[in-house]
Amino acid sequence: MSLIMTTTTLKQQVFVHHVIEHQLPHNNRLITTQEYGIGQAPVNIALSKYWGKRDATLNLPMNSSVSISLPDLGTKTTICITSTQQDAIWLNNELLSNNHPFCIRLTAFLNFFRPPNSAFQVHTTNTVPTAAGLASSASGYAALVLALNDLFQWQLSTQKLSLLARLGSGSASRSLYSGFAIWHRGQQDNGLDSYAEPIDTQWPELCIGLIKINVQQKPISSTTGMQNTVNTCDLYQAWPQQAEKNMQTILEAIYINDFEKLGETVEHNALSMHATMMATWPPIVYWQPESLAAMQTVWLLRQQGILVYFTMDAGPNLKLLFPETEKPAIMQAFGDIQIIMPFNKN
Ligand code: 2P0
């Protein structure tokens, strides 16, 4: 067991070393830092999903994925170095105990960058209203990596920051960018070619609607859930190929602003991912009765000629996609909805 743990850690350390190269702290090298570092990053919603790892140690995905970031919803993090014994981590202005799962995961990540005999003080605040029911590990690790880059003055490229964020949480690789982003699956075992890049196109009419069903902690984490799916779901064999195909279609739709093509593929992709979750053993069902009711409302609206589609992640909440022209109809059908226009600057 300890041998496995050691090998695992080494593999990650080698990865980090390759990404940061000479900027990493060494025992006999003076580390220059700013007094503190700041980072801010948006949440992102996958249009074509990441579900399953080809390497769980380095968070290397089975398939590429495409996302849209939501401006103004995300995480802001400040970090500094202290001479105390242990890291001190504040989440939304609350000091967490060191055995809190959030701290354990964060501290393990910070170990890759820790100067000798030092601890970090981290203040992280989610600008995602909890009511929106959006996951924040993606924006969280992206903001943390940006804050570390600022603290240590690494001056890394965004592509390299995306690699580091991915090590913290796969979907964080996409949260370094505004607008659309593509996270490349990569081919190499060392993980150096699995990073996200921005897609240089805008879609000003595109609206994302957040429908809150339930914001309680999910029954099973994405990390565990996707590993169980890979290990026990026979349907999963078809997933990586479908996901790559869906992603190509979504990219085409984005480039030519074909809303129907985008919506159909996004919704099909999400439901296919949820089918693999349900066919996992023990089963993973993130849906609640209200999730299905909201889906049925979407399907009914489409029958009435309204252009609206949904996507869902590892939770019961729906995210709607629709063009601006459908806003009044959507607001009428779903009272409690938060609408975001990712490319609308006001
Ligand atoms: C996504 N999800 O593409 C998919 C859709 C959830 C469903 O990325 O283990 O929190 O930290 O790499 O990134 C959630 O997975 O998992 C996720 P880890 P992560 O957005």
Side-chain angles (χ1 to χ4, degrees):
M1 181 64 188
S2 66
L3 184 65
I4 293 170
M5 294 282 288
T6 312
T7 315
T8 296
T9 311
L10 258 180
K11 195 172 177 181
Q12 294 170 325
Q13 281 170 352
V14 168
F15 170 77
V16 170
H17 204 88
H18 271 113
V19 178
I20 308 192
E21 294 162 3
H22 56 278
Q23 283 103 331
L24 264 183
H26 295 295
N27 286 337
N28 46 12
R29 198 184 123 226
L30 198 65
I31 299 151
T32 49
T33 68
Q34 300 209 122
E35 203 177 328
Y36 58 89
I38 300 180
Q40 190 159 6
V43 297
N44 74 77
I45 293 181
L47 301 173
S48 152
K49 310 292 186 189
Y50 150 54
W51 194 252
K53 305 178 197 217
R54 62 187 169 89
D55 183 324
T57 309
L58 295 177
N59 280 341
L60 300 181
M62 288 283 195
N63 56 274
S64 306
S65 53
V66 176
S67 62
I68 177 84
S69 289
L70 305 185
D72 305 327
L73 298 183
T75 304
K76 186 174 179 183
T77 294
T78 308
I79 189 164
C80 63
I81 293 176
T82 65
S83 52
T84 51
Q85 294 286 309
Q86 285 186 315
D87 293 341
I89 296 166
W90 280 261
L91 175 61
N92 296 331
N93 297 320
E94 188 191 334
L95 177 63
L96 302 180
S97 83
N98 287 92
N99 53 13
H100 190 289
F102 184 89
C103 289
I104 294 171
R105 188 170 165 184
L106 212 71
T107 297
F109 184 72
L110 289 170
N111 283 344
F112 295 121
F113 315 103
R114 188 182 303 282
N117 307 318
S118 67
F120 288 103
Q121 223 179 67
V122 182
H123 284 264
T124 188
T125 315
N126 290 326
T127 54
V128 186
T130 12
L134 286 174
S136 52
S137 81
S139 57
Y141 278 93
L144 180 60
V145 161
L146 284 164
L148 286 164
N149 185 55
D150 189 32
L151 177 73
F152 291 116
Q153 294 287 288
W154 289 329
Q155 297 177 334
L156 293 178
S157 66
T158 316
Q159 192 170 303
K160 284 193 167 187
L161 294 172
S162 171
L163 283 170
L164 292 181
R166 189 208 74 218
L167 188 64
S169 186
S171 52
S173 62
R174 302 183 305 234
S175 270
L176 269 305
Y177 308 100
S178 57
F180 298 111
I182 176 170
W183 173 17
H184 303 285
R185 173 195 190 275
Q187 301 297 328
Q188 297 172 15
D189 290 340
N190 63 14
L192 292 170
D193 59 350
S194 182
Y195 52 82
E197 287 184 303
I199 300 173
D200 186 21
T201 184
Q202 304 246 326
W203 199 338
E205 300 79 24
L206 179 68
C207 295
I208 307 286
L210 305 177
I211 301 198
K212 176 190 64 169
I213 305 287
N214 189 322
V215 293
Q216 301 296 311
Q217 183 126 29
K218 48 196 173 191
I220 180 164
S221 74
S222 301
T223 310
T224 309
M226 66 174 84
Q227 208 54 40
N228 289 354
T229 301
V230 172
N231 291 339
T232 71
C233 173
D234 288 341
L235 298 185
Y236 186 77
Q237 287 180 15
W239 167 258
Q241 209 181 344
Q242 182 190 339
E244 295 291 348
K245 195 175 79 181
N246 290 161
M247 193 189 70
Q248 290 309 326
T249 309
I250 288 168
L251 289 176
E252 284 165 27
I254 288 173
Y255 281 119
I256 58 170
N257 287 16
D258 182 336
F259 195 83
E260 232 170 306
K261 192 170 180 171
L262 173 81
E264 277 177 12
T265 316
V266 166
E267 189 173 304
H268 189 201
N269 180 272
L271 288 171
S272 303
M273 176 186 72
H274 281 271
T276 71
M277 293 169 170
M278 289 177 198
T280 295
W281 198 261
I284 305 168
V285 182
Y286 288 113
W287 300 8
Q288 295 198 355
E290 297 88 342
S291 315
L292 188 57
M295 288 179 210
Q296 284 169 331
T297 305
V298 169
W299 293 326
L300 195 67
L301 287 169
R302 282 221 295 276
Q303 277 174 17
Q304 296 165 0
I306 294 161
L307 270 181
V308 56
Y309 298 85
F310 67 82
T311 186
M312 281 179 80
D313 295 297
N317 305 303
L318 268 72
K319 289 102 182 184
L320 305 188
L321 281 84
F322 53 93
E324 193 178 6
T325 44
E326 306 289 20
K327 217 169 161 179
I330 302 297
M331 286 169 76
Q332 197 182 357
F334 297 94
D336 190 16
I337 185 169
Q338 184 182 357
I339 298 175
I340 290 146
M341 298 184 73
F343 298 100
N344 198 330
K345 296 282 183 266
N346 56 35

